[in-house]
Amino acid sequence: GGAGPSRTSELLMGAEIAGQYRLDRYIMAGGFGHGWGAMDLQTGKEVFVKTFKSKEEFPPGADSVVAKMVEELEIAERIAKVQHLMNHKNVVAVLKVPRNALVKVPATGQQGACFHGIVTEYCDGGELFNYIVIPKESGGLQGCAFNEPQARFLFRQIVALLMALHYPPEGEPAYYHGDIKDQNFVVAGSTLKLIDYGTLSKVCDNVGPAKHMTRSHQQPFHTNCESVDLWAAGIILLDMLLVSTVGQMFKVSMGQNRGVTMLKAGKFWPTITTKLMQADTGNCLLKKGEDSAQNLLSKIFVMEPRNSLCVREIAEHPWLKGPVPTEEEMQAELKRRFKGILSGTPSGTAFFDLGRASEKDGQVIMQRVIDLACAASKGEFVKAGPGAKPGTMAIHRWDRPSMDSDTGVTRMHAEDGAQWVVAKYTCNVEKTSFDIIKGREVVRIRLFWETGSEHEDFCRLSGLLLDEVMKLRLT
């Protein structure tokens, strides 16, 4: 007996960690661990806790994963000591890194000094990427550019972060991130916060040419740490201004980076200008002059390093001194784009890594996993057919026994069981660069809690799905 590895998240619900943190809400399953909304019992504030998976939750031959988890803990411990970054408003602060901490599990009544994890401040708004590429009403995704003042409001914060990294207080070392991108910033109110520290290192410790971790942000022109981070920040600004009409300029296809190729050919700005003249004549990137966004970006996207500006010079660029929305106006715009902000993360979102599976194979795997998970639930969770959006599958939770004694109708074959549905969930397959440690895009199943029921029910369903995914032993 005993609970299987997929029940780890379910059993930890309500667990008390190090006598200070209570795991209240299961948010997601990642590559190496589980994410939780938790309560700091000393301050009464909500925090985010990452609990690491046990060795038994990985398929055979995954010993190297344990070493990577230890490395992640050590990086978090090291970064937590860099006070000028931890106190910076554009960095998600590491509050504590419990090692061998006491954990009390109410579901089993057991306790032991066996907990390893990372506690950070909690941000409710999700990744910046979710505000630049948003869902269509008809399904799928669409680019949604910011106007000039809005983009300036957000880019000022990114520049402020780069200043903190590369121009620290006297006596402190400069830091190089190496993976600046929209997926590594989350939104809290109207504030951007850096969330990923796995690539962070002291500039003085970098030997040889610096290189960005994400292929689409790599370029052959600049090899010093500051310029690599600044180039990546420039891509975020460009996407914020162009994604609705021109799309992503720096995109890898057939082994070639579109933006880099156009820069080498002298076609970068002419291509942007032509497309904007056809589709968005009011775009600020058509403006020229010393105080224009194009002028600022043209000083970042240059092929000759000696002609580019440093972060400190960019921070003083006149474009950044232009008008911006108020914090209230910016919050309203961000909330319009992504409903999770200011009201907590979605009630539940879990992700299940499918390794190197293709998106097409991922759809087949998702259907199989849902069928097996629902069967294992003995009728508590029911596969309800295609969801409202293309490519999604709906799952319902029922509040009746598997065989209704009054009608003889089973959950799995009911023609009209709407009155028994107490919760709705949707699953879809997506491709993302979420897994930074693997250094590649991954295909994953996304489970989203739509309406109804309790956190414990969502946790139970995600545990069932995780159990079936783990049995597949995907790599």
Side-chain angles (χ1 to χ4, degrees), residues 38-41 43-47:
M39 175 69 71
D40 185 330
L41 299 175
T43 66
K45 292 183 179 179
E46 188 168 15
V47 296

Side-chain angles (χ1 to χ4, degrees), residues 265-283:
K267 296 180 179 179
F268 186 80
W269 289 109
T271 298
I272 290 174
T273 299
T274 299
K275 290 191 175 183
L276 290 179
M277 288 299 293
Q278 295 170 346
D280 186 9
T281 55
N283 194 290

Side-chain angles (χ1 to χ4, degrees), residues 67-78:
K68 290 179 180 178
M69 289 192 293
V70 172
E71 181 183 10
E72 185 172 346
L73 285 164
E74 291 175 345
I75 289 172
E77 286 177 324
R78 188 167 66 249

